[in-house]
Amino acid sequence: MGYDAFYEPAGPDTFMSTPATAGPWDAGSQHAGPPSALFARAFERHEPIEGQRLARVAVDILRPVPVAPLTLRVRTVRPGRRITLVEGVAEADGQEVLHARGWRLARGPQQPSGSGADPGSEAGAGAVPALPPVSAARPWPGVHAGGYMEAMEWRFVSGDFVEPGPARVWMRPRLPLVAGEETSPFCRTMMIADSGNGVSARLDPARWLFVNVDLTVVLHRDPRGEWVLMDAVTTIGPDGAALAASRLSDHDGPVGQGMQTLVVTPR
């Protein structure tokens, strides 16, 4: 690939975006997964409170994010011992490109047996499919096959990029989010969850655009291990809006959900 991470640090709040961040449609614009993960990283580190964990991150995508230096500004909106709300703005080329908010929640005591605290035993969760063997993912025509597409590993259980409809895919990043750092479980999941609309596309990407204007990820526990299973479904409305919803799991069971609001237009 020729690069060692999605971002190189360039100061306390600024990051050089490497070609690994480039999305599938344009080598000059980032896939929204990596910059969304940068927000998760910032929210975990900003004025941390002992005993709290990041549980939800919601990102609004104001405009395409260029593969360029990215600066994050983060502040605490609502401090507290049990819950903390933080928010941030990402800027590139002198423009605000992303807004985000994150909730950190206090870790509580272990819940009683049978309460659903063990995600691997939740009622109706079903068995998590095994990790398939390595296989080449089939890209769709016109895709930028480098960047994010190459920097992530894809193992489809069902569906794929060119087969319309729901899909289940195990994913992991091949690179750290920030050079020289270990990527946290929440950051790793944010990088993955923004692909829900892509893997579960219902329309021909050569004829239609179905881009997301936001990404929300809620994790009731941190995923264990480097692989995350995304079980994604896209539902298209009658007047140009759609929803991509993804159930997120690790090898032990469900960990949370991702959601994307999509705008659907002909090319």
Side-chain angles (χ1 to χ4, degrees), residues 72-232:
L72 269 61
R73 293 185 283 108
V74 177
R75 73 182 186 98
T76 300
V77 178
R78 194 276 192 201
R81 183 169 56 87
R82 291 187 176 88
I83 58 174
T84 297
L85 177 64
V86 288
E87 69 177 10
V89 175
E91 297 179 350
D93 291 343
Q95 289 187 309
E96 294 185 358
V97 292
L98 302 168
H99 287 180
R101 281 194 162 196
W103 281 106
R104 295 198 311 246
L105 309 181
R107 297 180 185 272
Q110 181 67 38
Q111 299 300 308
S113 177
S115 67
D118 179 7
S121 63
E122 288 179 5
V128 176
L131 182 70
V134 176
S135 62
R138 296 186 297 166
W140 60 93
V143 68
H144 171 56
Y148 176 90
M149 297 293 291
E150 183 183 23
M152 306 296 290
E153 186 169 357
W154 314 77
R155 304 272 189 100
F156 280 92
V157 176
S158 60
D160 63 17
F161 292 120
V162 297
E163 179 182 331
R168 291 188 297 170
V169 56
W170 286 99
M171 293 179 62
R172 67 173 175 179
R174 302 178 190 270
L175 303 172
L177 178 64
V178 176
E181 297 180 5
E182 182 176 348
T183 305
S184 75
F186 206 115
C187 293
R188 189 165 56 248
T189 306
M190 290 296 291
M191 278 195 279
I192 291 167
D194 191 62
S195 292
N197 62 322
V199 301
S200 67
R202 297 279 302 278
L203 299 170
D204 181 357
R207 298 177 53 212
W208 294 87
L209 287 174
F210 38 89
V211 297
N212 58 307
V213 298
D214 62 9
L215 170 66
T216 299
V217 173
V218 181
L219 299 182
H220 57 265
R221 69 171 174 88
D222 290 334
R224 293 184 279 269
E226 57 184 344
W227 291 93
V228 172
L229 174 69
M230 182 166 54
D231 187 345

